[in-house]
Amino acid sequence: MPLALGDMLWDVLVVQFAAFLDRLTLRKAIEFVVIAVLVMAFVQTLPIDIAILFAGDTLMYLEIALAIRLAAGRDFFVAAFRLAMRLARLAMHALRRAHGYTISRISRRREPQTRPRLTPSRGSDDPEADAGIAWGAPALA
């Protein structure tokens, strides 16, 4: 019988406590500390059952504040995701446009472009065109 009691104590005090510590998160630890502080504060002025009731109400208010914070974080995440998608579309558009340019088109763009000169049309009804006289030259009479 004492051996069974020792095994039971080992299971409860070591094995189950270690499993509890593995599942313990920072949020749960903070909640436990807040509840303990609230219970101790209310025990000084109120009976224990009312103190636990007030502590539970305060914890509910903390949960509501957490839900609001999560909702605000979700909106921030959605806005950041939309911005990332917009930037990705812009990058894909620029990549498609850049893919269409060949090396010869790029080098042609770098060369200085010359303006074509305006020359008179060499029709048969213009006698000065046959003589090689440019437009705007003074006429000799």
PDB file of all heavy atoms in Angstrom, residues 14-24:
ATOM      1  N   VAL A  14       4.803  14.980 -10.081  1.00  0.00           N
ATOM      2  CA  VAL A  14       5.901  15.097 -11.044  1.00  0.00           C
ATOM      3  C   VAL A  14       5.391  14.993 -12.481  1.00  0.00           C
ATOM      4  O   VAL A  14       5.580  15.902 -13.291  1.00  0.00           O
ATOM      5  CB  VAL A  14       6.997  14.044 -10.756  1.00  0.00           C
ATOM      6  CG1 VAL A  14       8.095  14.109 -11.810  1.00  0.00           C
ATOM      7  CG2 VAL A  14       7.578  14.240  -9.374  1.00  0.00           C
ATOM      8  N   VAL A  15       4.745  13.894 -12.814  1.00  0.00           N
ATOM      9  CA  VAL A  15       4.375  13.627 -14.205  1.00  0.00           C
ATOM     10  C   VAL A  15       3.273  14.579 -14.672  1.00  0.00           C
ATOM     11  O   VAL A  15       3.415  15.248 -15.705  1.00  0.00           O
ATOM     12  CB  VAL A  15       3.945  12.151 -14.374  1.00  0.00           C
ATOM     13  CG1 VAL A  15       3.473  11.888 -15.796  1.00  0.00           C
ATOM     14  CG2 VAL A  15       5.090  11.223 -14.007  1.00  0.00           C
ATOM     15  N   GLN A  16       2.183  14.671 -13.918  1.00  0.00           N
ATOM     16  CA  GLN A  16       1.095  15.557 -14.334  1.00  0.00           C
ATOM     17  C   GLN A  16       1.494  17.024 -14.244  1.00  0.00           C
ATOM     18  O   GLN A  16       1.082  17.842 -15.076  1.00  0.00           O
ATOM     19  CB  GLN A  16      -0.152  15.288 -13.487  1.00  0.00           C
ATOM     20  CG  GLN A  16      -0.796  13.958 -13.797  1.00  0.00           C
ATOM     21  CD  GLN A  16      -2.054  13.726 -12.976  1.00  0.00           C
ATOM     22  OE1 GLN A  16      -2.561  14.627 -12.314  1.00  0.00           O
ATOM     23  NE2 GLN A  16      -2.558  12.500 -13.026  1.00  0.00           N
ATOM     24  N   PHE A  17       2.321  17.370 -13.257  1.00  0.00           N
ATOM     25  CA  PHE A  17       2.781  18.760 -13.153  1.00  0.00           C
ATOM     26  C   PHE A  17       3.694  19.127 -14.327  1.00  0.00           C
ATOM     27  O   PHE A  17       3.612  20.230 -14.866  1.00  0.00           O
ATOM     28  CB  PHE A  17       3.507  18.977 -11.820  1.00  0.00           C
ATOM     29  CG  PHE A  17       3.900  20.395 -11.581  1.00  0.00           C
ATOM     30  CD1 PHE A  17       2.946  21.383 -11.381  1.00  0.00           C
ATOM     31  CD2 PHE A  17       5.239  20.763 -11.568  1.00  0.00           C
ATOM     32  CE1 PHE A  17       3.303  22.699 -11.165  1.00  0.00           C
ATOM     33  CE2 PHE A  17       5.608  22.078 -11.359  1.00  0.00           C
ATOM     34  CZ  PHE A  17       4.640  23.053 -11.149  1.00  0.00           C
ATOM     35  N   ALA A  18       4.540  18.209 -14.764  1.00  0.00           N
ATOM     36  CA  ALA A  18       5.392  18.453 -15.929  1.00  0.00           C
ATOM     37  C   ALA A  18       4.551  18.596 -17.197  1.00  0.00           C
ATOM     38  O   ALA A  18       4.826  19.454 -18.055  1.00  0.00           O
ATOM     39  CB  ALA A  18       6.409  17.323 -16.092  1.00  0.00           C
ATOM     40  N   ALA A  19       3.497  17.782 -17.325  1.00  0.00           N
ATOM     41  CA  ALA A  19       2.599  17.908 -18.484  1.00  0.00           C
ATOM     42  C   ALA A  19       1.868  19.246 -18.448  1.00  0.00           C
ATOM     43  O   ALA A  19       1.678  19.895 -19.488  1.00  0.00           O
ATOM     44  CB  ALA A  19       1.605  16.755 -18.500  1.00  0.00           C
ATOM     45  N   PHE A  20       1.481  19.689 -17.255  1.00  0.00           N
ATOM     46  CA  PHE A  20       0.831  21.000 -17.123  1.00  0.00           C
ATOM     47  C   PHE A  20       1.777  22.121 -17.533  1.00  0.00           C
ATOM     48  O   PHE A  20       1.389  23.067 -18.231  1.00  0.00           O
ATOM     49  CB  PHE A  20       0.360  21.199 -15.675  1.00  0.00           C
ATOM     50  CG  PHE A  20      -0.073  22.599 -15.366  1.00  0.00           C
ATOM     51  CD1 PHE A  20      -1.274  23.093 -15.835  1.00  0.00           C
ATOM     52  CD2 PHE A  20       0.740  23.438 -14.612  1.00  0.00           C
ATOM     53  CE1 PHE A  20      -1.671  24.390 -15.571  1.00  0.00           C
ATOM     54  CE2 PHE A  20       0.355  24.740 -14.344  1.00  0.00           C
ATOM     55  CZ  PHE A  20      -0.857  25.213 -14.816  1.00  0.00           C
ATOM     56  N   LEU A  21       3.029  22.036 -17.117  1.00  0.00           N
ATOM     57  CA  LEU A  21       4.006  23.068 -17.491  1.00  0.00           C
ATOM     58  C   LEU A  21       4.285  23.072 -18.987  1.00  0.00           C
ATOM     59  O   LEU A  21       4.568  24.121 -19.572  1.00  0.00           O
ATOM     60  CB  LEU A  21       5.302  22.880 -16.709  1.00  0.00           C
ATOM     61  CG  LEU A  21       5.228  23.210 -15.217  1.00  0.00           C
ATOM     62  CD1 LEU A  21       6.571  22.941 -14.555  1.00  0.00           C
ATOM     63  CD2 LEU A  21       4.796  24.643 -14.998  1.00  0.00           C
ATOM     64  N   ASP A  22       4.215  21.909 -19.644  1.00  0.00           N
ATOM     65  CA  ASP A  22       4.398  21.853 -21.100  1.00  0.00           C
ATOM     66  C   ASP A  22       3.272  22.570 -21.831  1.00  0.00           C
ATOM     67  O   ASP A  22       3.486  23.194 -22.864  1.00  0.00           O
ATOM     68  CB  ASP A  22       4.475  20.399 -21.580  1.00  0.00           C
ATOM     69  CG  ASP A  22       5.809  19.761 -21.270  1.00  0.00           C
ATOM     70  OD1 ASP A  22       6.782  20.503 -21.031  1.00  0.00           O
ATOM     71  OD2 ASP A  22       5.873  18.517 -21.261  1.00  0.00           O
ATOM     72  N   ARG A  23       2.050  22.479 -21.304  1.00  0.00           N
ATOM     73  CA  ARG A  23       0.896  23.119 -21.944  1.00  0.00           C
ATOM     74  C   ARG A  23       0.741  24.577 -21.545  1.00  0.00           C
ATOM     75  O   ARG A  23      -0.083  25.288 -22.114  1.00  0.00           O
ATOM     76  CB  ARG A  23      -0.386  22.372 -21.583  1.00  0.00           C
ATOM     77  CG  ARG A  23      -0.495  20.990 -22.169  1.00  0.00           C
ATOM     78  CD  ARG A  23      -1.864  20.381 -21.917  1.00  0.00           C
ATOM     79  NE  ARG A  23      -2.281  20.475 -20.528  1.00  0.00           N
ATOM     80  CZ  ARG A  23      -2.113  19.544 -19.611  1.00  0.00           C
ATOM     81  NH1 ARG A  23      -1.510  18.420 -19.922  1.00  0.00           N
ATOM     82  NH2 ARG A  23      -2.550  19.714 -18.365  1.00  0.00           N
ATOM     83  N   LEU A  24       1.513  25.043 -20.577  1.00  0.00           N
ATOM     84  CA  LEU A  24       1.365  26.398 -20.052  1.00  0.00           C
ATOM     85  C   LEU A  24       1.884  27.422 -21.060  1.00  0.00           C
ATOM     86  O   LEU A  24       2.987  27.292 -21.582  1.00  0.00           O
ATOM     87  CB  LEU A  24       2.130  26.532 -18.729  1.00  0.00           C
ATOM     88  CG  LEU A  24       1.950  27.832 -17.967  1.00  0.00           C
ATOM     89  CD1 LEU A  24       0.498  27.975 -17.520  1.00  0.00           C
ATOM     90  CD2 LEU A  24       2.884  27.883 -16.785  1.00  0.00           C
TER      91      LEU A  24
END
